[in-house]
């Protein structure tokens, strides 16, 4: 395979910073392009937050994105967005108690407006999506709420002519304990390269036993982000082999299986690019179902990767329900490396 021509676009960069460091960037100058906050306060238009508790005594953190300085902000339906003409960050928050709609209808509406916003800005390619759903494993009137969410999400993808199966964007879907259905997304003008995990059935090919509509995401995505760099976005990854949960009820074996899956998807990604990504060099978010398990999960990561590994030292731990009731932990991640995609 040959390398693609480098992307001609303003570079997109990301930093993982404390809340104090993030706010310092915005002091006395225009706000950064955008950020995704963890444990950060509401009210910062450029930093929508994830409504989940930070664990292990961790302070508020943020992934701060930098693009060009010519940033416009706007609203399209229920979508709040920031765009520099090539890159776009957006946020959606829909409160079921206010909207008086079911999960499927809310998901479909949110994604319908999301795709309209992409068309308006010209950033028509989704690179990464983060979904946060209150009570994700709860009963929604005979169908689990996550399965209802999947139905509405997939319908919006299909109606918009977006890739709902092969080529779907990287994504995660986690359960928060309260608040609104929240969606955060990153988009650009150039399509990413979807990556699957050879150890797993693609999520969009799950059998009907997982619900009337399959989840809409790829296991990871590679994206050119300008300046000769490639970003790897790894979707929420857990203890699943094939399409089945393994090590039910066993925390540490689930962590170890999750690491094997992360290693497999990284290897699959490395085969599609001249960039080199490493399991020990990720910026990850670790979602833990039971808050009391966070310390054991961190210890397991330290034992597997070493306490000085970037993946360990820069990890953010959040309390969240995983999309399957028998999963105890999930890890999603991103990383940037010099290189090019292979044509």
């Amino acid at each position: 395979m040959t390398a693609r021509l480098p992307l001609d676009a303003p570079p997109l960069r990301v930093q993982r910073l404390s809340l104090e460091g993030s706010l310092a960037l915005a002091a006395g100058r225009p706000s950064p392009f955008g950020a995704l906050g963890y444990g950060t306060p509401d009210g910062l238009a450029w930093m929508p937050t994830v409504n989940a508790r930070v664990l292990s005594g961790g302070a508020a953190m943020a992934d701060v994105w930098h693009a060009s300085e010519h940033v416009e902000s706007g609203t399209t339906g229920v979508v709040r967005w920031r765009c520099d003409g090539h890159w776009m960050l957006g946020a959606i928050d829909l409160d079921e108690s206010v909207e008086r709609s079911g999960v499927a209808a809310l998901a479909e509406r949110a994604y319908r407006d999301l795709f309209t916003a992409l068309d308006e800005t010209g950033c028509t390619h989704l690179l990464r999506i983060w979904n946060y759903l209150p009570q994700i494993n709860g009963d929604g009137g005979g169908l689990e709420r996550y399965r209802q969410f999947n139905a509405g999400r997939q319908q919006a993808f299909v109606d918009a002519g977006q890739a709902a199966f092969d080529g779907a964007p990287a994504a995660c879907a986690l359960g928060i304990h309260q608040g609104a259905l929240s969606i955060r997304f990153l988009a650009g003008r150039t399509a990413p390269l979807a990556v699957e995990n050879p150890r797993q059935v693609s999520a969009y090919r799950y059998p009907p036993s997982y619900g009337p509509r399959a989840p809409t995401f790829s296991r990871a995505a590679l994206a050119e982000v300008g300046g000769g760099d490639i970003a790897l976005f790894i979707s929420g990854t857990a203890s699943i082999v094939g399409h089945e949960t393994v090590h039910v009820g066993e925390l540490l074996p689930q962590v170890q299986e999750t690491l094997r899956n992360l290693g497999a998807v990284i290897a699959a990604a490395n085969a599609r690019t001249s960039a080199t990504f490493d399991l020990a060099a990720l910026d990850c978010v670790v979602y833990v179902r039971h808050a009391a398990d966070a310390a054991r999960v961190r210890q397991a990561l330290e034992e597997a990767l070493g306490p000085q590994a970037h993946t360990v030292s820069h990890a953010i731990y959040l309390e969240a329900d995983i999309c399957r009731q028998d999963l105890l932990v999930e890890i999603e991640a991103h990383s940037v490396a010099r290189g090019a995609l292979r044509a």
Side-chain angles (χ1 to χ4, degrees), residues 128-334:
R128 181 67 166 89
I129 312 172
W130 298 262
N131 302 283
Y132 300 98
L133 173 63
Q135 308 303 321
I136 195 170
N137 304 131
D139 177 45
L143 186 65
E144 185 187 48
R145 286 168 57 80
Y146 177 56
R147 298 182 181 194
Q148 292 187 342
F149 170 81
N150 285 335
R153 171 172 59 172
Q154 189 185 97
Q155 188 62 53
F157 268 77
V158 171
D159 290 346
Q162 291 276 337
F165 305 99
D166 292 313
C172 59
L174 283 303
I176 52 178
H177 292 176
Q178 67 286 311
L181 167 64
S182 299
I183 300 171
R184 315 294 186 228
F185 65 91
L186 174 66
R189 288 183 173 270
T190 302
L193 181 65
V195 178
E196 292 300 316
N197 183 347
R199 303 182 78 237
Q200 297 177 317
V201 173
S202 297
Y204 47 79
R205 300 194 186 281
Y206 279 175
S209 58
Y210 292 95
R213 296 286 187 98
T216 303
F217 69 92
S218 294
R219 299 298 180 186
L222 290 162
E224 298 171 285
V225 290
D229 283 346
I230 301 296
L232 172 63
F233 299 102
I234 301 178
S235 301
T237 303
S239 181
I240 297 170
V241 177
H243 59 76
E244 296 178 333
T245 301
V246 295
H247 313 299
V248 174
E250 301 178 276
L251 177 66
L252 297 183
Q254 284 200 15
V255 174
Q256 293 159 358
E257 199 69 62
T258 299
L259 290 174
R260 283 191 282 272
N261 278 327
L262 288 170
V265 80
I266 289 170
N270 283 341
R272 308 293 299 276
T273 175
S274 62
T276 300
F277 297 98
D278 186 342
L279 178 59
L282 304 174
D283 281 311
C284 69
V285 179
V286 182
Y287 300 98
V288 182
R289 181 179 292 274
H290 303 299
D293 288 340
R296 294 175 65 204
V297 174
R298 181 180 180 90
Q299 182 179 2
L301 295 181
E302 289 179 349
E303 291 174 354
L305 303 175
Q308 303 306 315
H310 184 95
T311 302
V312 174
S313 61
H314 286 67
I316 296 170
Y317 292 79
L318 298 180
E319 181 181 19
D321 292 331
I322 319 304
C323 64
R324 297 185 186 183
Q325 295 189 48
D326 52 12
L327 289 171
L328 302 173
V329 64
E330 178 172 310
I331 300 175
E332 55 107 333
H334 63 263

